[in-house]
Amino acid sequence: MDYLLTEEQKMLKEMVAKFAQEEIGPVAREYQAKGIYPEKIVKKAGELGLFGIAYPPEYGGAGMDFVSYMLAIEQVSRFCASTGVIISAHSSLCVDPIFRFGSEEQKKKYLPGLCSGQRIGCLGLTEPGAGSDAGAIKTTAKLHGDKWILNGTKQFITNGAQAEVAVVIALTEPEKKAKGLSAFIVESGTPGFKVGKHEEKLGINSTSTTELIFEDCEIPKDNLLGELNKGFKISLVTLDGGRLGIAAQALGIAKAAIEDAVVYSKEREQFDQPIARFQALQWMMADMFTEYEAAWLLTYRASLMKDRGLRYTTEAAMAKLKASETASFCANKSLQIHGGYGYTKEFDVERYLRDAKITEIYEGTSEIMRLVISANMLG
Ligand code: CAA
Protein backbone atom coordinates (compact mmCIF):
# COMPACT_ATOMS: atom_id res chain seq x y z
CA MET A 1 0.00 0.00 0.00
CA ASP A 2 3.01 2.25 -0.44
CA TYR A 3 1.19 4.11 -3.22
CA LEU A 4 -0.79 5.86 -0.46
CA LEU A 5 2.40 7.29 1.01
CA THR A 6 4.31 10.46 0.15
CA GLU A 7 7.92 10.23 -1.06
CA GLU A 8 9.10 11.46 2.35
CA GLN A 9 7.04 8.80 4.17
CA LYS A 10 8.35 6.07 1.86
CA MET A 11 11.95 7.17 2.46
CA LEU A 12 11.45 7.15 6.23
CA LYS A 13 9.81 3.73 6.09
CA GLU A 14 12.74 2.31 4.11
CA MET A 15 15.31 3.91 6.38
CA VAL A 16 13.65 2.52 9.53
CA ALA A 17 13.14 -0.92 7.94
CA LYS A 18 16.87 -1.06 7.11
CA PHE A 19 17.84 0.05 10.62
CA ALA A 20 15.48 -2.46 12.22
CA GLN A 21 16.61 -5.33 10.01
CA GLU A 22 20.32 -4.65 10.44
CA GLU A 23 20.51 -3.48 14.04
CA ILE A 24 17.50 -4.94 15.84
CA GLY A 25 16.77 -8.16 13.93
CA PRO A 26 20.02 -9.98 14.78
CA VAL A 27 19.66 -9.47 18.56
CA ALA A 28 15.90 -9.36 19.12
CA ARG A 29 15.44 -13.06 19.88
CA GLU A 30 18.31 -13.20 22.38
CA TYR A 31 17.41 -9.91 24.07
CA GLN A 32 13.79 -10.94 24.52
CA ALA A 33 14.71 -14.41 25.75
CA LYS A 34 17.05 -12.92 28.35
CA GLY A 35 14.87 -9.92 29.14
CA ILE A 36 17.60 -7.47 28.10
CA TYR A 37 16.58 -3.83 27.64
CA PRO A 38 17.93 -2.78 24.19
CA GLU A 39 19.96 0.17 25.43
CA LYS A 40 22.32 0.51 22.44
CA ILE A 41 19.44 0.20 19.99
CA VAL A 42 17.47 2.84 21.86
CA LYS A 43 20.50 5.13 21.67
CA LYS A 44 20.85 4.59 17.91
CA ALA A 45 17.13 5.03 17.37
CA GLY A 46 17.43 8.33 19.22
CA GLU A 47 20.29 9.41 16.94
CA LEU A 48 18.10 8.59 13.94
CA GLY A 49 15.36 10.84 15.33
CA LEU A 50 12.87 8.04 16.03
CA PHE A 51 11.95 9.36 19.48
CA GLY A 52 10.55 12.63 18.17
CA ILE A 53 9.41 11.93 14.60
CA ALA A 54 6.17 13.91 14.67
CA TYR A 55 7.34 16.97 16.63
CA PRO A 56 8.68 20.28 15.31
CA PRO A 57 12.46 20.79 14.94
CA GLU A 58 12.27 23.78 17.31
CA TYR A 59 11.63 21.25 20.09
CA GLY A 60 14.20 18.77 18.82
CA GLY A 61 11.80 16.70 16.73
CA ALA A 62 12.14 15.52 13.13
CA GLY A 63 9.24 17.69 11.94
CA MET A 64 7.47 14.85 10.16
CA ASP A 65 3.82 13.80 10.36
CA PHE A 66 2.00 11.22 12.48
CA VAL A 67 1.66 8.77 9.57
CA SER A 68 5.48 8.71 9.38
CA TYR A 69 5.67 7.96 13.10
CA MET A 70 3.25 5.06 12.63
CA LEU A 71 5.28 3.65 9.72
CA ALA A 72 8.40 3.74 11.90
CA ILE A 73 6.73 1.93 14.82
CA GLU A 74 5.45 -0.76 12.45
CA GLN A 75 8.87 -1.31 10.87
CA VAL A 76 10.63 -1.49 14.24
CA SER A 77 7.97 -3.87 15.60
CA ARG A 78 8.41 -6.21 12.61
CA PHE A 79 11.74 -7.10 14.17
CA CYS A 80 11.19 -6.32 17.82
CA ALA A 81 7.82 -5.50 19.35
CA SER A 82 9.57 -4.51 22.58
CA THR A 83 11.58 -1.76 20.90
CA GLY A 84 8.40 -0.72 19.09
CA VAL A 85 6.55 -0.08 22.32
CA ILE A 86 9.54 1.52 24.04
CA ILE A 87 9.43 4.19 21.33
CA SER A 88 5.65 4.33 21.18
CA ALA A 89 4.99 4.60 24.94
CA HIS A 90 7.66 7.28 25.12
CA SER A 91 6.36 9.31 22.16
CA SER A 92 2.61 8.87 22.39
CA LEU A 93 2.22 8.83 26.15
CA CYS A 94 4.85 11.30 27.33
CA VAL A 95 6.13 13.52 24.50
CA ASP A 96 2.68 14.01 23.03
CA PRO A 97 0.87 15.29 26.17
CA ILE A 98 3.79 17.63 26.95
CA PHE A 99 3.73 18.93 23.37
CA ARG A 100 -0.05 19.33 23.33
CA PHE A 101 -0.79 20.57 26.82
CA GLY A 102 2.54 21.90 28.10
CA SER A 103 3.39 25.58 28.59
CA GLU A 104 6.05 27.02 26.29
CA GLU A 105 8.48 26.81 29.20
CA GLN A 106 7.69 23.11 29.81
CA LYS A 107 8.03 22.31 26.11
CA LYS A 108 11.42 24.02 25.89
CA LYS A 109 12.59 22.33 29.07
CA TYR A 110 11.49 18.75 28.37
CA LEU A 111 10.95 18.15 24.66
CA PRO A 112 14.50 18.42 23.25
CA GLY A 113 15.86 15.76 25.64
CA LEU A 114 12.85 13.52 25.03
CA CYS A 115 12.77 13.93 21.24
CA SER A 116 16.46 13.05 20.97
CA GLY A 117 15.90 9.89 23.04
CA GLN A 118 18.48 11.06 25.58
CA ARG A 119 15.75 10.97 28.18
CA ILE A 120 13.06 8.29 28.10
CA GLY A 121 9.47 9.10 29.02
CA CYS A 122 6.45 7.25 30.36
CA LEU A 123 2.87 7.82 31.44
CA GLY A 124 1.79 7.10 35.01
CA LEU A 125 -1.93 6.59 34.66
CA THR A 126 -2.84 2.99 35.59
CA GLU A 127 -3.09 1.94 39.25
CA PRO A 128 -3.87 -1.36 40.97
CA GLY A 129 -7.53 -0.29 41.25
CA ALA A 130 -7.69 1.87 38.12
CA GLY A 131 -7.11 -0.10 34.92
CA SER A 132 -9.99 0.02 32.43
CA ASP A 133 -11.72 2.33 34.92
CA ALA A 134 -9.01 4.93 34.49
CA GLY A 135 -11.04 7.56 36.35
CA ALA A 136 -10.81 5.59 39.62
CA ILE A 137 -7.28 6.81 40.38
CA LYS A 138 -6.33 7.14 44.07
CA THR A 139 -2.94 8.87 43.80
CA THR A 140 -3.28 12.37 45.22
CA ALA A 141 -1.52 15.68 44.57
CA LYS A 142 -1.94 18.35 47.25
CA LEU A 143 -0.74 21.91 46.89
CA HIS A 144 1.45 23.15 49.76
CA GLY A 145 2.81 26.62 49.10
CA ASP A 146 4.66 26.43 45.80
CA LYS A 147 4.92 22.61 45.73
CA TRP A 148 2.62 19.76 44.79
CA ILE A 149 2.97 16.76 47.09
CA LEU A 150 2.21 13.43 45.42
CA ASN A 151 1.25 10.20 47.19
CA GLY A 152 0.22 6.92 45.60
CA THR A 153 1.28 3.97 43.45
CA LYS A 154 1.10 3.54 39.69
CA GLN A 155 1.16 0.08 38.12
CA PHE A 156 2.06 -1.59 34.79
CA ILE A 157 4.05 1.41 33.58
CA THR A 158 5.85 0.75 30.29
CA ASN A 159 9.39 2.26 30.38
CA GLY A 160 8.96 2.68 34.15
CA ALA A 161 12.51 1.59 34.96
CA GLN A 162 14.23 3.80 32.37
CA ALA A 163 11.98 6.85 32.30
CA GLU A 164 13.55 10.09 33.43
CA VAL A 165 10.39 12.04 32.71
CA ALA A 166 6.95 10.80 33.75
CA VAL A 167 3.57 12.33 33.04
CA VAL A 168 1.61 11.41 36.15
CA ILE A 169 -2.14 11.64 36.69
CA ALA A 170 -3.28 12.37 40.24
CA LEU A 171 -6.33 13.57 42.16
CA THR A 172 -6.26 17.27 42.97
CA GLU A 173 -9.90 17.39 44.09
CA PRO A 174 -10.76 13.86 45.29
CA GLU A 175 -14.45 14.63 45.87
CA LYS A 176 -14.85 15.32 42.14
CA LYS A 177 -13.43 11.87 41.23
CA ALA A 178 -12.44 11.74 37.52
CA LYS A 179 -13.26 15.43 37.11
CA GLY A 180 -10.79 16.20 39.92
CA LEU A 181 -7.77 14.59 38.22
CA SER A 182 -4.81 16.63 36.99
CA ALA A 183 -1.64 15.84 35.04
CA PHE A 184 1.90 16.52 36.29
CA ILE A 185 5.45 16.20 35.02
CA VAL A 186 7.68 14.32 37.46
CA GLU A 187 11.40 13.75 36.93
CA SER A 188 13.31 10.69 38.10
CA GLY A 189 15.56 11.44 41.04
CA THR A 190 12.92 13.60 42.72
CA PRO A 191 12.95 12.66 46.44
CA GLY A 192 9.91 10.54 47.30
CA PHE A 193 9.66 9.11 43.76
CA LYS A 194 10.92 5.58 43.18
CA VAL A 195 10.44 2.63 40.87
CA GLY A 196 8.69 -0.30 42.58
CA LYS A 197 8.00 -3.87 41.50
CA HIS A 198 9.17 -5.02 38.05
CA GLU A 199 6.60 -7.27 36.38
CA GLU A 200 7.58 -10.58 34.79
CA LYS A 201 5.55 -10.92 31.62
CA LEU A 202 4.40 -13.34 28.94
CA GLY A 203 5.90 -11.20 26.16
CA ILE A 204 7.54 -7.89 25.23
CA ASN A 205 10.31 -9.06 27.52
CA SER A 206 12.85 -6.42 26.53
CA THR A 207 10.67 -3.69 28.02
CA SER A 208 10.32 -2.68 31.62
CA THR A 209 6.86 -2.73 33.19
CA THR A 210 6.99 -1.38 36.71
CA GLU A 211 5.28 0.31 39.58
CA LEU A 212 5.98 3.99 40.21
CA ILE A 213 5.76 4.89 43.87
CA PHE A 214 5.19 8.39 45.23
CA GLU A 215 5.71 8.99 48.95
CA ASP A 216 5.41 12.66 49.88
CA CYS A 217 7.04 13.42 46.55
CA GLU A 218 7.41 17.19 46.18
CA ILE A 219 7.41 18.73 42.72
CA PRO A 220 7.35 22.41 41.73
CA LYS A 221 3.92 24.04 41.38
CA ASP A 222 4.81 24.78 37.75
CA ASN A 223 4.96 21.06 36.94
CA LEU A 224 1.18 20.94 36.60
CA LEU A 225 0.62 19.91 32.96
CA GLY A 226 -2.32 21.61 31.28
CA GLU A 227 -5.25 22.95 33.25
CA LEU A 228 -6.07 21.98 36.81
CA ASN A 229 -8.65 19.16 36.99
CA LYS A 230 -8.36 18.36 33.27
CA GLY A 231 -6.19 15.31 33.84
CA PHE A 232 -8.81 12.76 32.78
CA LYS A 233 -9.43 14.44 29.44
CA ILE A 234 -5.69 14.87 28.92
CA SER A 235 -5.33 11.13 29.55
CA LEU A 236 -8.09 10.17 27.11
CA VAL A 237 -6.81 12.48 24.35
CA THR A 238 -3.31 11.09 24.96
CA LEU A 239 -4.61 7.52 24.79
CA ASP A 240 -6.25 8.18 21.40
CA GLY A 241 -2.75 8.66 19.95
CA GLY A 242 -1.28 5.90 22.12
CA ARG A 243 -3.81 3.42 20.79
CA LEU A 244 -2.64 4.14 17.26
CA GLY A 245 0.95 3.52 18.34
CA ILE A 246 -0.14 0.11 19.63
CA ALA A 247 -2.03 -0.53 16.38
CA ALA A 248 1.24 0.13 14.51
CA GLN A 249 3.10 -2.21 16.85
CA ALA A 250 0.44 -4.88 16.24
CA LEU A 251 0.74 -4.40 12.47
CA GLY A 252 4.48 -4.96 12.73
CA ILE A 253 3.96 -8.22 14.61
CA ALA A 254 1.31 -9.37 12.11
CA LYS A 255 3.59 -8.55 9.18
CA ALA A 256 6.48 -10.48 10.69
CA ALA A 257 4.23 -13.49 11.28
CA ILE A 258 3.01 -13.41 7.67
CA GLU A 259 6.51 -13.02 6.21
CA ASP A 260 7.86 -15.91 8.27
CA ALA A 261 4.92 -18.12 7.24
CA VAL A 262 5.60 -17.42 3.56
CA VAL A 263 9.31 -18.24 3.85
CA TYR A 264 8.78 -21.36 5.96
CA SER A 265 5.94 -22.80 3.89
CA LYS A 266 8.02 -22.55 0.71
CA GLU A 267 11.02 -24.24 2.32
CA ARG A 268 9.37 -26.95 4.39
CA GLU A 269 8.57 -30.09 2.41
CA GLN A 270 6.08 -32.75 3.41
CA PHE A 271 4.46 -35.38 1.19
CA ASP A 272 7.19 -34.63 -1.41
CA GLN A 273 6.30 -30.97 -1.89
CA PRO A 274 6.60 -27.60 -0.18
CA ILE A 275 3.73 -27.23 2.28
CA ALA A 276 2.84 -23.92 0.56
CA ARG A 277 1.29 -26.07 -2.19
CA PHE A 278 -1.47 -27.24 0.16
CA GLN A 279 -4.66 -25.28 -0.14
CA ALA A 280 -5.32 -25.47 3.59
CA LEU A 281 -2.24 -23.32 4.15
CA GLN A 282 -2.91 -21.06 1.16
CA TRP A 283 -6.28 -20.14 2.63
CA MET A 284 -4.75 -19.42 5.99
CA MET A 285 -2.24 -17.12 4.34
CA ALA A 286 -4.89 -15.37 2.25
CA ASP A 287 -6.89 -14.69 5.42
CA MET A 288 -3.81 -13.43 7.28
CA PHE A 289 -2.84 -11.03 4.53
CA THR A 290 -6.39 -9.76 4.04
CA GLU A 291 -6.83 -9.13 7.77
CA TYR A 292 -3.47 -7.33 7.86
CA GLU A 293 -4.36 -5.05 4.95
CA ALA A 294 -7.77 -4.23 6.48
CA ALA A 295 -6.12 -3.38 9.80
CA TRP A 296 -3.46 -1.32 8.02
CA LEU A 297 -6.08 0.73 6.18
CA LEU A 298 -8.08 1.41 9.36
CA THR A 299 -4.87 2.47 11.10
CA TYR A 300 -3.75 4.64 8.19
CA ARG A 301 -7.17 6.35 8.08
CA ALA A 302 -7.12 7.20 11.79
CA SER A 303 -3.51 8.44 11.52
CA LEU A 304 -4.42 10.65 8.57
CA MET A 305 -7.31 12.08 10.60
CA LYS A 306 -4.92 12.88 13.45
CA ASP A 307 -2.57 14.59 10.99
CA ARG A 308 -5.50 16.65 9.68
CA GLY A 309 -6.53 17.77 13.17
CA LEU A 310 -9.84 15.86 13.14
CA ARG A 311 -11.25 14.06 16.17
CA TYR A 312 -10.30 10.41 15.68
CA THR A 313 -11.24 8.71 18.97
CA THR A 314 -13.57 6.12 17.41
CA GLU A 315 -11.30 5.52 14.44
CA ALA A 316 -8.31 4.97 16.75
CA ALA A 317 -10.34 2.48 18.78
CA MET A 318 -11.34 0.62 15.59
CA ALA A 319 -7.75 0.59 14.36
CA LYS A 320 -6.38 -0.75 17.66
CA LEU A 321 -9.14 -3.33 17.98
CA LYS A 322 -8.62 -4.63 14.45
CA ALA A 323 -4.83 -4.45 14.41
CA SER A 324 -4.36 -6.13 17.80
CA GLU A 325 -6.76 -8.96 17.04
CA THR A 326 -5.11 -9.32 13.62
CA ALA A 327 -1.68 -9.61 15.23
CA SER A 328 -2.89 -12.45 17.46
CA PHE A 329 -4.71 -14.11 14.55
CA CYS A 330 -1.69 -13.93 12.24
CA ALA A 331 0.79 -15.07 14.90
CA ASN A 332 -1.47 -17.99 15.78
CA LYS A 333 -1.92 -19.06 12.14
CA SER A 334 1.76 -18.60 11.38
CA LEU A 335 2.65 -20.81 14.33
CA GLN A 336 0.22 -23.43 13.04
CA ILE A 337 1.89 -23.28 9.63
CA HIS A 338 5.28 -23.76 11.31
CA GLY A 339 3.89 -26.86 13.05
CA GLY A 340 6.03 -28.36 15.80
CA TYR A 341 8.97 -26.11 14.93
CA GLY A 342 6.80 -23.05 15.52
CA TYR A 343 6.24 -24.15 19.10
CA THR A 344 9.99 -24.12 19.79
CA LYS A 345 12.28 -21.21 20.62
CA GLU A 346 14.27 -21.92 17.43
CA PHE A 347 11.81 -19.79 15.50
CA ASP A 348 10.50 -16.30 16.23
CA VAL A 349 6.86 -17.13 15.72
CA GLU A 350 6.16 -18.23 19.32
CA ARG A 351 7.46 -14.78 20.40
CA TYR A 352 5.12 -13.05 17.97
CA LEU A 353 2.19 -14.87 19.56
CA ARG A 354 3.26 -13.86 23.07
CA ASP A 355 3.97 -10.26 22.01
CA ALA A 356 0.69 -9.97 20.07
CA LYS A 357 -1.43 -10.74 23.13
CA ILE A 358 -0.51 -7.58 25.00
CA THR A 359 -1.67 -5.39 22.10
CA GLU A 360 -5.21 -6.59 22.89
CA ILE A 361 -4.79 -5.41 26.48
CA TYR A 362 -2.64 -2.32 27.05
CA GLU A 363 -3.67 1.25 26.29
CA GLY A 364 -7.25 0.02 26.41
CA THR A 365 -8.45 -3.57 26.17
CA SER A 366 -10.41 -4.83 23.16
CA GLU A 367 -13.50 -4.64 25.36
CA ILE A 368 -12.86 -0.93 26.08
CA MET A 369 -12.27 -0.37 22.34
CA ARG A 370 -15.67 -1.93 21.60
CA LEU A 371 -17.20 0.24 24.33
CA VAL A 372 -15.72 3.41 22.77
CA ILE A 373 -16.89 2.39 19.27
CA SER A 374 -20.43 1.45 20.34
CA ALA A 375 -20.76 4.60 22.49
CA ASN A 376 -20.08 6.60 19.34
CA MET A 377 -22.78 4.63 17.48
CA LEU A 378 -25.42 4.73 20.20
CA GLY A 379 -24.69 8.13 21.72
N1 CAA B 1 -10.93 12.75 23.86
C1 CAA B 1 -11.41 13.84 24.49
N2 CAA B 1 -12.38 13.77 25.44
C2 CAA B 1 -12.86 12.56 25.74
C3 CAA B 1 -12.40 11.38 25.14
C4 CAA B 1 -11.39 11.51 24.14
N3 CAA B 1 -10.90 10.45 23.53
N4 CAA B 1 -13.08 10.34 25.65
C5 CAA B 1 -13.93 10.82 26.56
N5 CAA B 1 -13.78 12.18 26.60
C6 CAA B 1 -14.49 13.07 27.49
C7 CAA B 1 -15.99 12.85 27.46
O1 CAA B 1 -16.61 13.66 26.47
C8 CAA B 1 -16.40 13.30 28.84
O2 CAA B 1 -16.40 14.72 28.87
P1 CAA B 1 -17.46 15.54 29.80
O3 CAA B 1 -17.18 15.10 31.21
O4 CAA B 1 -17.13 16.96 29.55
O5 CAA B 1 -18.81 15.11 29.33
C9 CAA B 1 -15.23 12.85 29.71
O6 CAA B 1 -14.09 12.77 28.82
C10 CAA B 1 -15.44 11.52 30.37
O7 CAA B 1 -15.75 10.60 29.36
P2 CAA B 1 -16.66 9.33 29.62
O8 CAA B 1 -17.91 9.77 30.36
O9 CAA B 1 -16.83 8.59 28.34
O10 CAA B 1 -15.77 8.50 30.66
P3 CAA B 1 -16.05 7.07 31.26
O11 CAA B 1 -15.45 7.11 32.60
O12 CAA B 1 -17.47 6.67 31.11
O13 CAA B 1 -15.28 6.06 30.31
C11 CAA B 1 -13.41 5.07 29.27
C12 CAA B 1 -14.09 6.31 29.78
C13 CAA B 1 -13.55 5.04 27.77
C14 CAA B 1 -13.89 3.75 29.82
C15 CAA B 1 -11.99 5.35 29.73
O14 CAA B 1 -11.92 5.25 31.13
C16 CAA B 1 -10.98 4.46 29.10
O15 CAA B 1 -10.56 4.70 27.99
N6 CAA B 1 -10.52 3.43 29.84
C17 CAA B 1 -9.41 2.62 29.44
C18 CAA B 1 -8.16 3.16 30.07
C19 CAA B 1 -6.96 2.75 29.34
O16 CAA B 1 -6.90 2.72 28.12
N7 CAA B 1 -5.90 2.46 30.11
C20 CAA B 1 -4.65 2.14 29.56
C21 CAA B 1 -3.58 2.83 30.38
S1 CAA B 1 -2.12 3.30 29.57
C22 CAA B 1 -1.21 1.91 29.56
O17 CAA B 1 -1.65 0.88 29.11
C23 CAA B 1 0.13 1.99 30.21
C24 CAA B 1 1.29 1.80 29.35
O18 CAA B 1 2.36 2.22 29.79
C25 CAA B 1 1.26 1.13 28.03
Side-chain angles (χ1 to χ4, degrees), residues 220-234:
K221 192 179 172 192
D222 290 346
N223 281 26
L224 174 73
L225 178 66
E227 280 180 58
L228 186 69
N229 294 337
K230 293 288 184 214
F232 192 48
K233 279 211 181 176
I234 291 175

Side-chain angles (χ1 to χ4, degrees), residues 134-200:
I137 282 169
K138 296 271 185 294
T139 296
T140 55
K142 288 187 183 147
L143 193 60
H144 280 258
D146 59 354
K147 303 267 187 206
W148 288 102
I149 302 182
L150 271 61
N151 277 290
T153 299
K154 297 291 174 182
Q155 196 184 35
F156 298 153
I157 309 304
T158 306
N159 289 343
Q162 293 78 28
E164 290 184 38
V165 180
V167 170
V168 177
I169 312 298
L171 276 170
T172 34
E173 285 192 53
E175 59 289 355
K176 289 189 179 169
K177 299 187 175 169
K179 287 189 191 302
L181 288 167
S182 301
F184 298 91
I185 303 173
V186 185
E187 295 186 53
S188 63
T190 307
F193 172 29
K194 65 177 183 201
V195 175
K197 183 183 169 204
H198 290 240
E199 302 295 341
E200 282 188 33

Side-chain angles (χ1 to χ4, degrees), residues 355-376:
D355 288 349
K357 188 61 204 170
I358 190 59
T359 67
E360 294 180 65
I361 297 171
Y362 60 15
E363 300 199 34
T365 61
S366 290
E367 291 66 38
I368 292 294
M369 295 307 99
R370 288 185 167 93
L371 191 142
V372 170
I373 297 160
S374 59
N376 178 271

Side-chain angles (χ1 to χ4, degrees), residues 126 132 158 179 233 236-237 239-240 243 311 313 363-364:
T126 301
S132 289
T158 306
K179 287 189 191 302
K233 279 211 181 176
L236 294 177
V237 169
L239 281 170
D240 285 345
R243 286 168 185 165
R311 174 90 184 253
T313 301
E363 300 199 34

Side-chain angles (χ1 to χ4, degrees), residues 14-89:
E14 277 163 27
M15 184 272 281
V16 179
K18 188 169 181 292
F19 162 69
Q21 187 166 19
E22 289 174 1
E23 308 275 344
I24 307 176
V27 291
R29 195 185 302 171
E30 185 201 342
Y31 278 24
Q32 299 237 20
K34 295 182 180 163
I36 299 169
Y37 179 79
E39 206 168 331
K40 278 189 192 153
I41 291 166
V42 164
K43 192 169 176 287
K44 279 198 180 166
E47 286 161 8
L48 287 175
L50 303 190
F51 281 86
I53 292 176
Y55 303 97
E58 67 200 269
Y59 299 120
M64 299 182 81
D65 54 16
F66 190 78
V67 169
S68 303
Y69 162 70
M70 296 288 284
L71 294 167
I73 299 294
E74 180 184 356
Q75 292 311 310
V76 168
S77 302
R78 253 177 81 203
F79 295 92
C80 177
S82 288
T83 310
V85 78
I86 290 168
I87 301 173
S88 156

Side-chain angles (χ1 to χ4, degrees), residues 74-375:
E74 180 184 356
Q75 292 311 310
V76 168
S77 302
R78 253 177 81 203
F79 295 92
C80 177
S82 288
T83 310
V85 78
I86 290 168
I87 301 173
S88 156
H90 163 98
S91 305
S92 294
L93 303 183
C94 182
V95 182
D96 206 64
I98 295 176
F99 175 67
R100 249 167 198 274
F101 302 103
S103 63
E104 196 50 38
E105 225 173 32
Q106 288 171 334
K107 290 197 235 185
K108 285 202 173 117
K109 180 169 178 190
Y110 293 107
L111 292 181
L114 288 166
C115 287
S116 66
Q118 277 160 350
R119 302 183 90 190
I120 296 298
C122 71
L123 171 69
L125 172 71
T126 301
E127 296 185 0
S132 289
D133 187 4
I137 282 169
K138 296 271 185 294
T139 296
T140 55
K142 288 187 183 147
L143 193 60
H144 280 258
D146 59 354
K147 303 267 187 206
W148 288 102
I149 302 182
L150 271 61
N151 277 290
T153 299
K154 297 291 174 182
Q155 196 184 35
F156 298 153
I157 309 304
T158 306
N159 289 343
Q162 293 78 28
E164 290 184 38
V165 180
V167 170
V168 177
I169 312 298
L171 276 170
T172 34
E173 285 192 53
E175 59 289 355
K176 289 189 179 169
K177 299 187 175 169
K179 287 189 191 302
L181 288 167
S182 301
F184 298 91
I185 303 173
V186 185
E187 295 186 53
S188 63
T190 307
F193 172 29
K194 65 177 183 201
V195 175
K197 183 183 169 204
H198 290 240
E199 302 295 341
E200 282 188 33
K201 309 184 292 281
L202 177 70
I204 55 162
N205 290 318
S206 291
T207 67
S208 66
T209 306
T210 73
E211 284 180 334
L212 300 181
I213 299 171
F214 302 92
E215 288 167 337
D216 290 329
C217 170
E218 285 188 13
I219 57 167
K221 192 179 172 192
D222 290 346
N223 281 26
L224 174 73
L225 178 66
E227 280 180 58
L228 186 69
N229 294 337
K230 293 288 184 214
F232 192 48
K233 279 211 181 176
I234 291 175
S235 306
L236 294 177
V237 169
T238 298
L239 281 170
D240 285 345
R243 286 168 185 165
L244 287 181
I246 302 307
Q249 182 201 23
L251 288 171
I253 299 168
K255 194 68 194 286
I258 295 169
E259 286 169 344
D260 287 12
V262 169
V263 170
Y264 184 80
S265 64
K266 284 182 176 173
E267 282 172 0
R268 171 76 172 159
E269 292 196 1
Q270 289 289 276
F271 304 102
D272 299 324
Q273 58 181 335
I275 58 172
R277 296 249 175 93
F278 293 105
Q279 199 175 44
L281 271 68
Q282 291 167 1
W283 286 22
M284 276 194 226
M285 287 204 258
D287 287 344
M288 286 157 75
F289 196 38
T290 306
E291 291 295 311
Y292 165 83
E293 298 259 309
W296 195 94
L297 282 168
L298 278 175
T299 305
Y300 174 76
R301 174 187 64 163
S303 307
L304 214 56
M305 288 173 78
K306 179 165 163 59
D307 271 332
R308 294 188 181 175
L310 301 167
R311 174 90 184 253
Y312 64 99
T313 301
T314 311
E315 289 76 9
M318 286 177 175
K320 181 181 183 286
L321 175 64
K322 184 71 185 166
S324 60
E325 294 191 348
T326 296
S328 288
F329 173 79
C330 291
N332 199 19
K333 290 289 177 207
S334 183
L335 197 151
Q336 191 67 21
I337 288 168
H338 283 76
Y341 289 106
Y343 201 67
T344 71
K345 302 266 178 189
E346 257 178 68
F347 287 79
D348 289 319
V349 69
E350 61 82 31
R351 167 163 60 92
Y352 303 152
L353 187 58
R354 289 185 290 106
D355 288 349
K357 188 61 204 170
I358 190 59
T359 67
E360 294 180 65
I361 297 171
Y362 60 15
E363 300 199 34
T365 61
S366 290
E367 291 66 38
I368 292 294
M369 295 307 99
R370 288 185 167 93
L371 191 142
V372 170
I373 297 160
S374 59

